[in-house]
Amino acid sequence: MEQTRIGVFVCHCGSNIGGVVDVPAVVEYARALPNVVYAERNLYSCSEAGLSSLKQGIRAQRLNRVIVAACTPRTHEPLFKNACEEAGLNRYLFEFVNIREHCSWIHRKDKEQATEKAKRLIRMGVAKASLLEPQEETESNVIPAVLVIGGGIAGMTAALNLARQGFRAHLVEKQARLGGWLPHINRLCPTDEEAARLIDSVIREAQAHERIILHMPATVQEVSGYIGNFHVTVAEKEGKCTFDVGTIIVATGAEVLQPLGLYGYGRFPNVITQLELEERLRPPPSPSPVNDGGGKRWESTVFINCVGARIPERPYCSRVCCMTSLKNAIRLKKQNPAAQVYVLHRDLMTYGVEFERYYRRAMEAGVRFLRYDIERPPQVVGNGRAEAVVVWDTLRGQERRLPVDAVVLNAPLIPASDNATLSRLLKVPLAESGFFLEAHVKLRPVEFATDGVYVCGTARWPADVSESIAQAYAASAKAAIPMRAGAVTAEAITAFSVPERCMGCGTCVVTCPYQAIELRIANGGHVLSGTEGLQKQVAWVNVVQCKGCGSCVAACPSKAMQQRGFTDQQVLEMISVISGL
Amino acid sequence: MSEQDFHPRIVAFCCNWCSYAGADLAGVSRLQMPTDFQVIRVMCSARVAPEWIIKTLSAGIDGVMVLGCHIGDCHYIAGNHRAAKRFALLKEMLGFVGIHPDRLRVDWVSASEGTKFQTIVTEFVERVRELGPTREFVTAHRRLDTD
Ligand SMILES: Cc1cc2nc3c(=O)[nH]c(=O)nc-3n(C[C@H](O)[C@H](O)[C@H](O)COP(=O)(O)OP(=O)(O)OC[C@H]3O[C@@H](n4cnc5c(N)ncnc54)[C@H](O)[C@@H]3O)c2cc1C
Ligand code: FES
């Protein structure tokens, strides 16, 4: 047999690893480990220079196993596996060791122990790598259809984008109408166009498209399968409907916090939410220009930003509120230039070019800005109606009393109430905030770690319309990749049975959640010694069906089942090198 | 040897989809914890064979954690249900073979629960420090075996 030649590449990751772990010492240590013929360190193993050094190492040192000790395999493994392949090494002869997330970042105070731990982790990786074997991947088909959940601007844009490319799009909307929040909104910042006009034309197009199949009002009840072949059950008014799709896009949007009990909301009729103001500002039949219902124009309006946002229970910024209050403050000033309009804020987020310009416009229009402190929040005082807002002005260092005709509360977008249910149905995670959590905030936005499932719009976190549209394009472009290719390769981490050991008990058959295993008559050579001539049934794994959970392997009483890349021997070897016995 | 000088050897089996991601998040969030554990990635908590635990603990590893997705969230439908059942049983058996059941901890950590990962690891390392090394037990047994 060919001699095992392992190369170990240790990444400094700038100072992320190198600032805690003594990388040169770790490289020295690695070099002395069994089967290791080469070790080097890189400033950034994932950089162009790092990757070419890796490939160079494989060729020059005739490496047949490669270890990179760096960050998490959940993001960078494909990159290094591809590099191995480019250098002529089977991608399954690569082993990733995580010494950043699981070492340097969590042990910053104890450099010595962190260095020792990095050595142990690499030693475990070397032990496993010595036992790795080359594998071949299998292909499976991808159905050229997508399920889009949520019929707001994001969902409709994604569905249209794919339908126009020739894919069938099932669009599921739980309400009885399309559009999400936009039909409730007056005009959109920063362009001030009418929201209704934008959304109506998208709705018309989505309804008319021959390849968009609308399920409305409807909800997704069941999803099984995997990328390429998801089986979907949708509950509609008239019973259920089932269909198959290759990919799924989540575009379920967000809800708006009802600020009950905050700043007199629910107690004073003239304390309203931004959303309610949008409704009042919309063209007739709703009342316009804004008044208090009794016909008196608002001469003084106070907007309060960050109502129920950026607090310990809800620490995130809702992103669209600052713009929205600028937009509506300018609007009120336009309708009644003599009116007093105040925006009480904690910080104003007017990112980018357009919104900063908007901010200037608001100032020029005479909108007053006042910074409050969350430790001393504004008080809405009154009797039956809100009469004034009393607020500590942090910049002037004094208390102010602003008489009001109306108070507008800017409450944040919050995660949709069905997110938890949907997260379970689709096996995709939610972040602590309750919004959907993509595979990697920076490197893999709009896609989940689960292959074939994507997310866009405010289901992901608060975003404005143009961002939601951009994300919808991104998610649909991502979804089009496997659908266009027509096939995907599955990672070769599937189970396999060793017929010589298998007793044909069938435990694995009932354990498998994917019906991927069956008992078959073993053919020549696969019979127990001493039982020649007898027909024996043994487990057989359909690798296209197998998703690689390894449940059958742990269940097998005769150790006949194994999992590629996670064999008993590989794992126990990792343990034995650190057990020290 | 005092509890503090004792650096236990601990392995944590984490499933790829939730708990490993939770451990990654703990890292990204720079949550600090003891160095005395090594994560071994498996695809699902259901891959962790009970036999591994026994072998691990009798090889001188002082504690084992099996961390999966929350019940209902397993990427492979219900692998963690299986794991939960297997390890409930195994925990009872550990007592019989003279291994303290607290040396095995089974828990659920989602991809967003970096803090929970930190808490579990910190508590577990602490508990294993209290229990002391398994090594004494193992060598005692070895001796018995050969007698
Ligand atoms: C008061 C206010 C003012 C705003 N002003 C502006 C502005 O001026 N400019 C701007 O750019 N942005 C503005 N926004 C933000 C804008 O509303 C969002 O960017 C936009 O609505 C996001 O679209 P979406 O498709 O992601 O979500 P949504 O509009 O929330 O649509 C989601 C859709 O999914 C459906 N759905 C939810 N759950 C399910 C489920 N389980 N199954 C099926 N369907 C489901 C919902 O019924 C809804 O139709 C404002 C928001 C608010 C609240
Ligand atoms: S994948 Fe996490 S427990 Fe199954």
Side-chain angles (χ1 to χ4, degrees), chain A residues 181 252-258 307-309 314 316 318 411-417 419 433-435 458-459 461-462:
Chain A
W181 285 114
T252 48
E255 288 168 15
V256 180
L257 178 78
Q258 275 289 95
V307 170
R314 210 172 288 107
Y316 63 88
S318 174
L413 292 171
I414 55 171
S417 48
N419 282 8
S433 59
F435 290 102
T458 47
W461 65 42

PDB file of all heavy atoms in Angstrom, chain A residues 181 252-258 307-309 314 316 318 411-417 419 433-435 458-459 461-462:
ATOM      1  N   TRP A 181     -46.744  44.260   3.324  1.00  0.00           N
ATOM      2  CA  TRP A 181     -47.009  45.553   3.960  1.00  0.00           C
ATOM      3  C   TRP A 181     -47.239  46.685   2.971  1.00  0.00           C
ATOM      4  O   TRP A 181     -47.846  47.688   3.300  1.00  0.00           O
ATOM      5  CB  TRP A 181     -45.844  45.949   4.879  1.00  0.00           C
ATOM      6  CG  TRP A 181     -45.850  45.173   6.155  1.00  0.00           C
ATOM      7  CD1 TRP A 181     -44.911  44.275   6.560  1.00  0.00           C
ATOM      8  CD2 TRP A 181     -46.860  45.194   7.172  1.00  0.00           C
ATOM      9  NE1 TRP A 181     -45.270  43.722   7.769  1.00  0.00           N
ATOM     10  CE2 TRP A 181     -46.465  44.280   8.154  1.00  0.00           C
ATOM     11  CE3 TRP A 181     -48.061  45.885   7.326  1.00  0.00           C
ATOM     12  CZ2 TRP A 181     -47.227  44.038   9.303  1.00  0.00           C
ATOM     13  CZ3 TRP A 181     -48.818  45.645   8.468  1.00  0.00           C
ATOM     14  CH2 TRP A 181     -48.401  44.737   9.442  1.00  0.00           C
ATOM     15  N   THR A 252     -41.208  35.264   4.013  1.00  0.00           N
ATOM     16  CA  THR A 252     -42.416  35.461   4.819  1.00  0.00           C
ATOM     17  C   THR A 252     -42.462  36.809   5.523  1.00  0.00           C
ATOM     18  O   THR A 252     -43.365  37.065   6.310  1.00  0.00           O
ATOM     19  CB  THR A 252     -42.553  34.338   5.856  1.00  0.00           C
ATOM     20  OG1 THR A 252     -41.291  34.199   6.497  1.00  0.00           O
ATOM     21  CG2 THR A 252     -42.933  33.032   5.198  1.00  0.00           C
ATOM     22  N   GLY A 253     -41.481  37.652   5.260  1.00  0.00           N
ATOM     23  CA  GLY A 253     -41.552  39.011   5.774  1.00  0.00           C
ATOM     24  C   GLY A 253     -41.486  39.100   7.285  1.00  0.00           C
ATOM     25  O   GLY A 253     -40.974  38.210   7.969  1.00  0.00           O
ATOM     26  N   ALA A 254     -42.033  40.191   7.796  1.00  0.00           N
ATOM     27  CA  ALA A 254     -41.967  40.451   9.226  1.00  0.00           C
ATOM     28  C   ALA A 254     -43.299  41.035   9.671  1.00  0.00           C
ATOM     29  O   ALA A 254     -44.142  41.382   8.841  1.00  0.00           O
ATOM     30  CB  ALA A 254     -40.850  41.444   9.507  1.00  0.00           C
ATOM     31  N   GLU A 255     -43.465  41.146  10.969  1.00  0.00           N
ATOM     32  CA  GLU A 255     -44.643  41.816  11.509  1.00  0.00           C
ATOM     33  C   GLU A 255     -44.197  43.136  12.134  1.00  0.00           C
ATOM     34  O   GLU A 255     -43.005  43.367  12.302  1.00  0.00           O
ATOM     35  CB  GLU A 255     -45.341  40.910  12.524  1.00  0.00           C
ATOM     36  CG  GLU A 255     -46.027  39.745  11.806  1.00  0.00           C
ATOM     37  CD  GLU A 255     -46.516  38.634  12.729  1.00  0.00           C
ATOM     38  OE1 GLU A 255     -46.592  38.862  13.952  1.00  0.00           O
ATOM     39  OE2 GLU A 255     -46.795  37.544  12.208  1.00  0.00           O
ATOM     40  N   VAL A 256     -45.159  43.958  12.485  1.00  0.00           N
ATOM     41  CA  VAL A 256     -44.806  45.238  13.101  1.00  0.00           C
ATOM     42  C   VAL A 256     -45.228  45.183  14.564  1.00  0.00           C
ATOM     43  O   VAL A 256     -46.345  44.766  14.874  1.00  0.00           O
ATOM     44  CB  VAL A 256     -45.512  46.412  12.391  1.00  0.00           C
ATOM     45  CG1 VAL A 256     -45.128  47.734  13.042  1.00  0.00           C
ATOM     46  CG2 VAL A 256     -45.148  46.437  10.915  1.00  0.00           C
ATOM     47  N   LEU A 257     -44.330  45.567  15.453  1.00  0.00           N
ATOM     48  CA  LEU A 257     -44.633  45.517  16.888  1.00  0.00           C
ATOM     49  C   LEU A 257     -45.810  46.444  17.206  1.00  0.00           C
ATOM     50  O   LEU A 257     -45.839  47.598  16.775  1.00  0.00           O
ATOM     51  CB  LEU A 257     -43.406  45.961  17.696  1.00  0.00           C
ATOM     52  CG  LEU A 257     -43.606  45.987  19.214  1.00  0.00           C
ATOM     53  CD1 LEU A 257     -43.536  44.584  19.790  1.00  0.00           C
ATOM     54  CD2 LEU A 257     -42.593  46.885  19.889  1.00  0.00           C
ATOM     55  N   GLN A 258     -46.791  45.948  17.953  1.00  0.00           N
ATOM     56  CA  GLN A 258     -47.879  46.788  18.457  1.00  0.00           C
ATOM     57  C   GLN A 258     -47.412  47.333  19.803  1.00  0.00           C
ATOM     58  O   GLN A 258     -47.298  46.585  20.760  1.00  0.00           O
ATOM     59  CB  GLN A 258     -49.128  45.921  18.673  1.00  0.00           C
ATOM     60  CG  GLN A 258     -49.973  45.715  17.440  1.00  0.00           C
ATOM     61  CD  GLN A 258     -50.705  46.992  17.052  1.00  0.00           C
ATOM     62  OE1 GLN A 258     -50.222  47.738  16.223  1.00  0.00           O
ATOM     63  NE2 GLN A 258     -51.846  47.267  17.672  1.00  0.00           N
ATOM     64  N   VAL A 307     -39.129  52.707  19.430  1.00  0.00           N
ATOM     65  CA  VAL A 307     -40.121  52.330  20.445  1.00  0.00           C
ATOM     66  C   VAL A 307     -40.123  50.801  20.560  1.00  0.00           C
ATOM     67  O   VAL A 307     -40.564  50.113  19.639  1.00  0.00           O
ATOM     68  CB  VAL A 307     -41.517  52.859  20.056  1.00  0.00           C
ATOM     69  CG1 VAL A 307     -42.588  52.279  20.968  1.00  0.00           C
ATOM     70  CG2 VAL A 307     -41.522  54.375  20.104  1.00  0.00           C
ATOM     71  N   GLY A 308     -39.587  50.300  21.637  1.00  0.00           N
ATOM     72  CA  GLY A 308     -39.504  48.850  21.791  1.00  0.00           C
ATOM     73  C   GLY A 308     -38.394  48.233  20.962  1.00  0.00           C
ATOM     74  O   GLY A 308     -38.387  47.027  20.728  1.00  0.00           O
ATOM     75  N   ALA A 309     -37.455  49.042  20.504  1.00  0.00           N
ATOM     76  CA  ALA A 309     -36.317  48.501  19.745  1.00  0.00           C
ATOM     77  C   ALA A 309     -35.024  48.938  20.418  1.00  0.00           C
ATOM     78  O   ALA A 309     -34.997  49.934  21.143  1.00  0.00           O
ATOM     79  CB  ALA A 309     -36.338  49.015  18.316  1.00  0.00           C
ATOM     80  N   ARG A 314     -35.033  43.267  22.825  1.00  0.00           N
ATOM     81  CA  ARG A 314     -35.063  43.337  21.366  1.00  0.00           C
ATOM     82  C   ARG A 314     -33.905  44.213  20.936  1.00  0.00           C
ATOM     83  O   ARG A 314     -34.072  45.371  20.575  1.00  0.00           O
ATOM     84  CB  ARG A 314     -36.409  43.930  20.917  1.00  0.00           C
ATOM     85  CG  ARG A 314     -36.883  43.435  19.567  1.00  0.00           C
ATOM     86  CD  ARG A 314     -38.297  43.910  19.262  1.00  0.00           C
ATOM     87  NE  ARG A 314     -39.294  43.237  20.066  1.00  0.00           N
ATOM     88  CZ  ARG A 314     -39.955  43.805  21.086  1.00  0.00           C
ATOM     89  NH1 ARG A 314     -39.734  45.056  21.405  1.00  0.00           N
ATOM     90  NH2 ARG A 314     -40.827  43.113  21.769  1.00  0.00           N
ATOM     91  N   TYR A 316     -31.916  44.534  18.451  1.00  0.00           N
ATOM     92  CA  TYR A 316     -31.527  44.916  17.097  1.00  0.00           C
ATOM     93  C   TYR A 316     -32.152  46.243  16.654  1.00  0.00           C
ATOM     94  O   TYR A 316     -33.128  46.713  17.222  1.00  0.00           O
ATOM     95  CB  TYR A 316     -31.899  43.812  16.108  1.00  0.00           C
ATOM     96  CG  TYR A 316     -33.387  43.543  16.018  1.00  0.00           C
ATOM     97  CD1 TYR A 316     -34.182  44.251  15.129  1.00  0.00           C
ATOM     98  CD2 TYR A 316     -34.001  42.586  16.829  1.00  0.00           C
ATOM     99  CE1 TYR A 316     -35.542  44.023  15.052  1.00  0.00           C
ATOM    100  CE2 TYR A 316     -35.364  42.351  16.763  1.00  0.00           C
ATOM    101  CZ  TYR A 316     -36.125  43.075  15.870  1.00  0.00           C
ATOM    102  OH  TYR A 316     -37.474  42.853  15.796  1.00  0.00           O
ATOM    103  N   SER A 318     -34.169  48.222  13.739  1.00  0.00           N
ATOM    104  CA  SER A 318     -35.143  47.802  12.734  1.00  0.00           C
ATOM    105  C   SER A 318     -34.912  48.475  11.371  1.00  0.00           C
ATOM    106  O   SER A 318     -35.670  48.282  10.434  1.00  0.00           O
ATOM    107  CB  SER A 318     -36.556  48.055  13.237  1.00  0.00           C
ATOM    108  OG  SER A 318     -37.509  47.793  12.269  1.00  0.00           O
ATOM    109  N   ALA A 411     -42.422  51.851  15.733  1.00  0.00           N
ATOM    110  CA  ALA A 411     -42.154  50.537  16.333  1.00  0.00           C
ATOM    111  C   ALA A 411     -41.453  49.651  15.311  1.00  0.00           C
ATOM    112  O   ALA A 411     -41.661  49.797  14.112  1.00  0.00           O
ATOM    113  CB  ALA A 411     -43.464  49.916  16.777  1.00  0.00           C
ATOM    114  N   PRO A 412     -40.611  48.753  15.779  1.00  0.00           N
ATOM    115  CA  PRO A 412     -39.776  47.972  14.857  1.00  0.00           C
ATOM    116  C   PRO A 412     -40.530  46.843  14.156  1.00  0.00           C
ATOM    117  O   PRO A 412     -41.583  46.407  14.593  1.00  0.00           O
ATOM    118  CB  PRO A 412     -38.730  47.361  15.798  1.00  0.00           C
ATOM    119  CG  PRO A 412     -39.439  47.226  17.090  1.00  0.00           C
ATOM    120  CD  PRO A 412     -40.351  48.414  17.178  1.00  0.00           C
ATOM    121  N   LEU A 413     -39.938  46.371  13.071  1.00  0.00           N
ATOM    122  CA  LEU A 413     -40.360  45.114  12.458  1.00  0.00           C
ATOM    123  C   LEU A 413     -39.906  43.999  13.385  1.00  0.00           C
ATOM    124  O   LEU A 413     -38.783  44.031  13.904  1.00  0.00           O
ATOM    125  CB  LEU A 413     -39.715  44.947  11.078  1.00  0.00           C
ATOM    126  CG  LEU A 413     -40.188  45.914   9.991  1.00  0.00           C
ATOM    127  CD1 LEU A 413     -39.319  45.777   8.749  1.00  0.00           C
ATOM    128  CD2 LEU A 413     -41.646  45.682   9.646  1.00  0.00           C
ATOM    129  N   ILE A 414     -40.802  43.057  13.612  1.00  0.00           N
ATOM    130  CA  ILE A 414     -40.451  41.919  14.473  1.00  0.00           C
ATOM    131  C   ILE A 414     -40.658  40.631  13.682  1.00  0.00           C
ATOM    132  O   ILE A 414     -41.383  40.620  12.690  1.00  0.00           O
ATOM    133  CB  ILE A 414     -41.291  41.893  15.774  1.00  0.00           C
ATOM    134  CG1 ILE A 414     -42.790  41.911  15.442  1.00  0.00           C
ATOM    135  CG2 ILE A 414     -40.935  43.076  16.667  1.00  0.00           C
ATOM    136  CD1 ILE A 414     -43.680  41.683  16.641  1.00  0.00           C
ATOM    137  N   PRO A 415     -40.026  39.521  14.131  1.00  0.00           N
ATOM    138  CA  PRO A 415     -40.135  38.267  13.383  1.00  0.00           C
ATOM    139  C   PRO A 415     -41.597  37.831  13.237  1.00  0.00           C
ATOM    140  O   PRO A 415     -42.396  38.013  14.155  1.00  0.00           O
ATOM    141  CB  PRO A 415     -39.379  37.271  14.250  1.00  0.00           C
ATOM    142  CG  PRO A 415     -38.534  38.081  15.158  1.00  0.00           C
ATOM    143  CD  PRO A 415     -39.190  39.394  15.319  1.00  0.00           C
ATOM    144  N   ALA A 416     -41.917  37.269  12.084  1.00  0.00           N
ATOM    145  CA  ALA A 416     -43.283  36.794  11.856  1.00  0.00           C
ATOM    146  C   ALA A 416     -43.621  35.668  12.835  1.00  0.00           C
ATOM    147  O   ALA A 416     -42.755  34.886  13.222  1.00  0.00           O
ATOM    148  CB  ALA A 416     -43.425  36.319  10.416  1.00  0.00           C
ATOM    149  N   SER A 417     -44.913  35.623  13.204  1.00  0.00           N
ATOM    150  CA  SER A 417     -45.324  34.675  14.247  1.00  0.00           C
ATOM    151  C   SER A 417     -45.162  33.221  13.817  1.00  0.00           C
ATOM    152  O   SER A 417     -44.974  32.351  14.656  1.00  0.00           O
ATOM    153  CB  SER A 417     -46.775  34.941  14.638  1.00  0.00           C
ATOM    154  OG  SER A 417     -47.565  35.057  13.474  1.00  0.00           O
ATOM    155  N   ASN A 419     -42.698  31.965  12.176  1.00  0.00           N
ATOM    156  CA  ASN A 419     -41.311  31.592  11.899  1.00  0.00           C
ATOM    157  C   ASN A 419     -40.889  30.292  12.557  1.00  0.00           C
ATOM    158  O   ASN A 419     -40.215  29.471  11.939  1.00  0.00           O
ATOM    159  CB  ASN A 419     -40.349  32.706  12.334  1.00  0.00           C
ATOM    160  CG  ASN A 419     -40.314  33.842  11.336  1.00  0.00           C
ATOM    161  OD1 ASN A 419     -41.108  33.865  10.403  1.00  0.00           O
ATOM    162  ND2 ASN A 419     -39.407  34.787  11.532  1.00  0.00           N
ATOM    163  N   SER A 433     -32.772  36.527  17.648  1.00  0.00           N
ATOM    164  CA  SER A 433     -33.778  37.567  17.465  1.00  0.00           C
ATOM    165  C   SER A 433     -35.112  36.999  17.005  1.00  0.00           C
ATOM    166  O   SER A 433     -36.130  37.660  17.109  1.00  0.00           O
ATOM    167  CB  SER A 433     -33.278  38.548  16.400  1.00  0.00           C
ATOM    168  OG  SER A 433     -33.059  37.834  15.192  1.00  0.00           O
ATOM    169  N   GLY A 434     -35.128  35.785  16.459  1.00  0.00           N
ATOM    170  CA  GLY A 434     -36.357  35.201  15.933  1.00  0.00           C
ATOM    171  C   GLY A 434     -36.472  35.317  14.422  1.00  0.00           C
ATOM    172  O   GLY A 434     -37.367  34.745  13.810  1.00  0.00           O
ATOM    173  N   PHE A 435     -35.563  36.073  13.791  1.00  0.00           N
ATOM    174  CA  PHE A 435     -35.527  36.116  12.329  1.00  0.00           C
ATOM    175  C   PHE A 435     -34.775  34.885  11.830  1.00  0.00           C
ATOM    176  O   PHE A 435     -34.052  34.235  12.585  1.00  0.00           O
ATOM    177  CB  PHE A 435     -34.823  37.391  11.833  1.00  0.00           C
ATOM    178  CG  PHE A 435     -35.616  38.649  12.073  1.00  0.00           C
ATOM    179  CD1 PHE A 435     -35.312  39.501  13.120  1.00  0.00           C
ATOM    180  CD2 PHE A 435     -36.682  38.978  11.240  1.00  0.00           C
ATOM    181  CE1 PHE A 435     -36.055  40.655  13.354  1.00  0.00           C
ATOM    182  CE2 PHE A 435     -37.423  40.124  11.460  1.00  0.00           C
ATOM    183  CZ  PHE A 435     -37.120  40.969  12.519  1.00  0.00           C
ATOM    184  N   THR A 458     -37.578  40.752   4.486  1.00  0.00           N
ATOM    185  CA  THR A 458     -37.571  41.026   5.920  1.00  0.00           C
ATOM    186  C   THR A 458     -37.758  39.778   6.771  1.00  0.00           C
ATOM    187  O   THR A 458     -37.779  39.859   7.991  1.00  0.00           O
ATOM    188  CB  THR A 458     -38.651  42.065   6.259  1.00  0.00           C
ATOM    189  OG1 THR A 458     -39.856  41.683   5.601  1.00  0.00           O
ATOM    190  CG2 THR A 458     -38.253  43.440   5.784  1.00  0.00           C
ATOM    191  N   ALA A 459     -37.899  38.590   6.143  1.00  0.00           N
ATOM    192  CA  ALA A 459     -37.886  37.353   6.920  1.00  0.00           C
ATOM    193  C   ALA A 459     -36.491  37.166   7.518  1.00  0.00           C
ATOM    194  O   ALA A 459     -36.319  36.511   8.541  1.00  0.00           O
ATOM    195  CB  ALA A 459     -38.231  36.162   6.031  1.00  0.00           C
ATOM    196  N   TRP A 461     -34.097  39.805   8.172  1.00  0.00           N
ATOM    197  CA  TRP A 461     -34.044  40.820   9.208  1.00  0.00           C
ATOM    198  C   TRP A 461     -34.580  42.096   8.573  1.00  0.00           C
ATOM    199  O   TRP A 461     -34.769  42.127   7.348  1.00  0.00           O
ATOM    200  CB  TRP A 461     -32.645  40.964   9.833  1.00  0.00           C
ATOM    201  CG  TRP A 461     -31.524  41.461   8.958  1.00  0.00           C
ATOM    202  CD1 TRP A 461     -31.571  42.475   8.037  1.00  0.00           C
ATOM    203  CD2 TRP A 461     -30.180  40.968   8.928  1.00  0.00           C
ATOM    204  NE1 TRP A 461     -30.343  42.626   7.443  1.00  0.00           N
ATOM    205  CE2 TRP A 461     -29.470  41.714   7.976  1.00  0.00           C
ATOM    206  CE3 TRP A 461     -29.507  39.970   9.644  1.00  0.00           C
ATOM    207  CZ2 TRP A 461     -28.128  41.501   7.706  1.00  0.00           C
ATOM    208  CZ3 TRP A 461     -28.171  39.769   9.367  1.00  0.00           C
ATOM    209  CH2 TRP A 461     -27.492  40.523   8.408  1.00  0.00           C
ATOM    210  N   PRO A 462     -34.834  43.147   9.334  1.00  0.00           N
ATOM    211  CA  PRO A 462     -35.458  44.313   8.732  1.00  0.00           C
ATOM    212  C   PRO A 462     -34.660  44.851   7.545  1.00  0.00           C
ATOM    213  O   PRO A 462     -33.434  44.908   7.579  1.00  0.00           O
ATOM    214  CB  PRO A 462     -35.476  45.321   9.877  1.00  0.00           C
ATOM    215  CG  PRO A 462     -35.566  44.472  11.098  1.00  0.00           C
ATOM    216  CD  PRO A 462     -34.723  43.265  10.802  1.00  0.00           C
TER     217      PRO A 462
END
